[in-house]
Each structure stands twice: as structure tokens, then as C-alpha cells.
Amino acid sequence: MSARHPLAQACLGVLACLCAGFAGCNASSDTTTAVYVQDVTPTSAVVAAITAQPTAVVVEAKAADGTAVEVEELDATPVHGFQLRGLRPSTDYTYTVHTPDGLPVGEGSFHTAPAESTGRCVFLVTGDSGGTDDDDGDVIQAAEQVSDDLRGTADDENREGDVVGVMLRHPADLVLHLGDVVYPAGAREDYAEGFYRPFAPLIQDVPIYPTLGNHDVKTEGGAPYLETFFLPRNGPGADERVYSFDWGPVHFVALDVMSQAFTADSEQGRWLEEDLARTTRAWTVVYFHVPPYSAYREGSQAIREALVPLLEAHRVDLVLSGHDHLYARFFPHGSTTYVVSGGGGKNLYRTQDAEGLVYAESVFHFLEVTAEPGKLWLRAIDASDNVFDELVLEKPQ
């Protein structure tokens, strides 16, 4: 049985300004902003839609063998979230979204997660993508403001469409977004240009799991972000700022280091300790926006002191962050490898030397990560589809 996401009712009317400026983007209808997939598990998935005008919509989903899964109508609202239940693990589904009178809104497909912890998980990673202005990368609770001589040139702005275009060539189970989804301030009216337009062909088929960036929280503490995304609600406060999920051999954890201070004895810190202690998956990937180590500035001392000891004590395998608009990979700290991936489309920062740095480059890029129970491959791929750095991690099964 499907149910509306709890935020859908709360969002009545609040996205009207966003959607009105983006009507007609989807060729299937002149009223839709986007359809997209969220929070896919072995037995459920959320099909979401943004429409330019508050309207009722219908979702029809079916498995590859033609078996119908769900048909249900929602009340008139501009943001819709259908939670489809009773799905089969590791199964392909297609879906269509339309109004009750048959006007197409959008369509796509998704693949449910496997029920078991074995097999393979392929995921893509991007960050700092949503360029909509000439902002120079000012930050909250971080180092000095980025100066002009440490930026890319003017034509480096807003290349997220190029990055997403290459990501589409790489089939994946899911996408992680490392924050700063929409510049300059995560405003509702900027989601159309900064997120939906460039990401539409990707997120209609592949679920995306973001974390909050400093630009995302500038508007109402991140309210537009929370209204847009339909994410697991298993973190402290159940408000989707902090959450975890599994896919095959990987346990993923998204943290919020922007709207709340992280300390080991905070609610988020206690939740993380318990979450990491419970997982039995072969690999653990933790991601958040501001990096503890970086090749642009030192990274966050506060995060190094409060968060890094907890991550390394629980032998987290891979820690991913954005914030600095470049790529950087560091030698492992114990069993934990730190990677900065902030080249998703906004202006680039030049790299600097840093202790423990393996490789760094100022380049528009994304990551492709393939995980099996005994091995994890990470490839850094630029906007021309060239691999410029690789990492292989192995562990006994």
C-alpha cells in the first residue's frame, strides 16, 4: 500500500514559486518540473514528482514481467511522494506519473535493492554541483573566504550538466550527493535550474541520496532541501538530515555537519556510534559535506577532533566529503580512506600540498565506486569521461 511522504502535506504551496519558473521542462507535459526516484529498498521505493501547479497525480508501476505494482491518486499539491510497498528485491520496475485525466507528468524506472548483503553495489558520487550564480564559494564555519586567485576562470561556472552527462554513461544502483546541491543559498526558486534541470535524466531512474552542504542550509536552515528529498527517516529526529541505509555489501551513512555541531556525545554522535556498531555489511561508507582533510585548506579541525576518532574506531572504510571544489585522496588512517569530491560543476579551487595527500587535481569530475564483499574499486572520472585516479581496497570475506 502506498502512502504520501509526511512532508508532502506540509509542502502544500511552498514550492509553487520553484515550479512556476520551471514549467514545461519535461517534454511529456507542460506542467511538470521533474519525476525522480528516492529511498529504494529491497521491498519499497519512493516515486516523487514536482508539478508546476498543485494537482492530483497517479503513479502506475510494474515489474519487468508486466505485473502491476501500484496505482494510487494523491491530493492536489505541488510536491508528490508515493511510497511503493510490496516490491520484490533485485527487480526492475518501470513507472509512469500522470494526472487523473491522463495528462502525462513523467516516467522512469528503478531497480530494487538486493535482500542479501552479498553481490555487487555500484554507486556514483558527486558534490558541489548546483551552480546558479557567480558566487565565490563563501563558507560557513570554515576557513577564510575563497579569493579570486584560487578560483577557476569565469567559464568554469555551472558545469554540472556536463558532469551529469558523463555520469549517465555509467550505469549505477544509486548516487550520493556530497552537499551544496543548489547555490547560492539553497532557495526554492533556484532548485529548478540548480538541481532538477541538470539532474532530471539521471534521477528519474537512479535514486539519489544527498547530504546537506553549507549553501543548502542558508535558506530556512535547509527547509527547501528537506521538502525536495524523500530520504530514510531512521536518524536522530527522523527529519532526514541524518540517516543510513544498506545496499548489497555496503552500509551508507549520511551525516549533517552543517546545521548542527557534531560531537561524540551529541544526539547525532550517539546515534552514529550505535549505527556503526550494528552494521554487518562488508563495507561502510560515511559521507558529509565539510572534509576533515583537504588539498585546498587544512580541512575542519572540529571534525577531525570530534568525528574522525569515532569513524576510525569503528573501522569505517571510506569517508567522502565535498565543500572544496576539487578532487583529493589521502593515505589511509588505519583502515579509513578519506576522499574529497567537490568537482560536480561549481567553480574549481586550485590544489595545495597537504600532509598525507596521495593525489589531488582541480577538475570537474565524479566518482564511480564498485563494491563486492571482498573488494572495493574507486575511479575518479573527469567531465571528458577519462579516469584520472583509481583506488582498490581489499579485505578478507
Side-chain angles (χ1 to χ4, degrees):
M1 179 178 181
S2 78
R4 186 183 325 176
H5 187 279
L7 286 176
Q9 182 64 35
C11 291
L12 270 171
V14 295
L15 291 184
C17 59
L18 182 158
C19 300
F22 203 46
C25 175
N26 190 309
S28 65
S29 170
D30 61 0
T31 63
T32 184
T33 297
V35 294
Y36 52 110
V37 183
Q38 294 272 266
D39 193 13
V40 177
T41 76
T43 59
S44 67
V46 173
V47 172
I50 300 291
T51 52
Q53 302 296 329
T55 182
V57 298
V58 177
V59 170
E60 297 186 17
K62 61 183 180 181
D65 62 6
T67 304
V69 176
E70 192 81 17
V71 179
E72 188 163 333
E73 182 177 327
L74 293 182
D75 296 333
T77 130
V79 57
H80 310 269
F82 288 91
Q83 189 168 42
L84 309 179
R85 301 183 185 275
L87 308 182
R88 299 197 297 268
S90 302
T91 301
D92 292 321
Y93 289 89
T94 59
Y95 68 88
T96 60
V97 183
H98 57 82
T99 63
D101 58 1
L103 182 64
V105 172
E107 62 183 15
S109 63
F110 60 87
H111 186 82
T112 51
E116 65 280 356
S117 60
T118 57
R120 170 179 289 197
C121 174
V122 180
F123 60 97
L124 308 181
V125 183
T126 188
D128 301 85
S129 62
T132 59
D133 68 346
D134 294 327
D135 184 74
D136 64 357
D138 62 320
V139 297
I140 295 175
Q141 297 178 342
E144 58 191 322
Q145 190 174 23
V146 180
S147 58
D148 289 339
D149 63 338
L150 291 176
R151 297 183 58 210
T153 60
D155 60 359
D156 281 337
E157 295 284 353
N158 304 342
R159 295 285 300 278
E160 68 270 30
D162 296 333
V163 176
V164 172
V166 180
M167 293 172 71
L168 287 167
R169 304 175 191 172
H170 296 259
D173 296 305
L174 58 102
V175 175
L176 306 183
H177 196 297
L178 303 179
D180 284 355
V181 178
V182 172
Y183 289 88
R188 294 179 182 89
E189 61 268 21
D190 290 330
Y191 264 82
E193 179 184 351
F195 176 65
Y196 292 121
R197 191 187 305 275
F199 278 90
L202 178 63
I203 61 177
Q204 68 184 17
D205 299 322
V206 183
I208 186 167
Y209 295 84
T211 186
L212 281 159
N214 54 287
H215 288 270
D216 300 319
V217 301
K218 287 185 176 183
T219 296
E220 301 174 34
Y225 168 101
L226 296 173
E227 293 159 3
T228 296
F229 295 108
F230 299 79
L231 302 169
R233 302 176 70 86
N234 59 353
D239 64 356
E240 302 170 297
R241 296 176 185 271
V242 180
Y243 59 90
S244 65
F245 65 97
D246 296 324
W247 196 294
V250 186
H251 181 63
F252 295 94
V253 184
L255 299 178
D256 174 16
V257 299
M258 297 315 313
S259 62
Q260 51 188 291
F262 186 95
T263 61
D265 60 354
S266 66
E267 185 180 22
Q268 183 178 187
R270 293 191 299 272
W271 174 87
L272 177 63
E273 176 91 45
E274 295 172 358
D275 181 86
L276 294 177
R278 281 195 305 266
T279 183
T280 58
R281 304 286 162 147
W283 301 96
T284 302
V285 176
V286 176
Y287 60 107
F288 48 87
H289 187 58
V290 178
Y293 307 99
S294 179
Y296 168 64
R297 43 197 151 207
E298 291 184 354
S300 170
Q301 181 177 349
I303 290 176
R304 286 198 303 273
E305 293 177 352
L307 180 54
V308 163
L310 182 56
L311 299 174
E312 295 179 4
H314 285 274
R315 301 179 65 83
V316 169
D317 300 289
L318 184 62
V319 176
L320 302 171
S321 301
H323 191 53
D324 292 341
H325 302 179
L326 46 75
Y327 171 83
R329 177 168 62 88
F330 291 82
F331 285 109
H333 291 224
S335 62
T336 305
T337 297
Y338 296 86
V339 175
V340 180
S341 180
K346 195 59 173 135
N347 55 291
L348 296 172
Y349 301 167
R350 294 180 185 174
T351 63
Q352 300 177 357
D353 290 335
E355 182 178 356
L357 183 66
V358 178
Y359 182 84
E361 188 169 345
S362 179
V363 58
F364 294 111
H365 73 280
F366 66 96
L367 309 180
E368 179 185 63
V369 185
T370 302
E372 296 179 350
K375 183 177 290 188
L376 181 148
W377 301 264
L378 181 150
R379 302 197 307 161
I381 302 171
D382 67 22
S384 298
D385 207 11
N386 298 312
V387 177
F388 63 89
D389 188 39
E390 295 185 79
L391 167 70
V392 177
L393 302 177
E394 296 184 85
K395 63 173 58 178
Q397 298 186 42

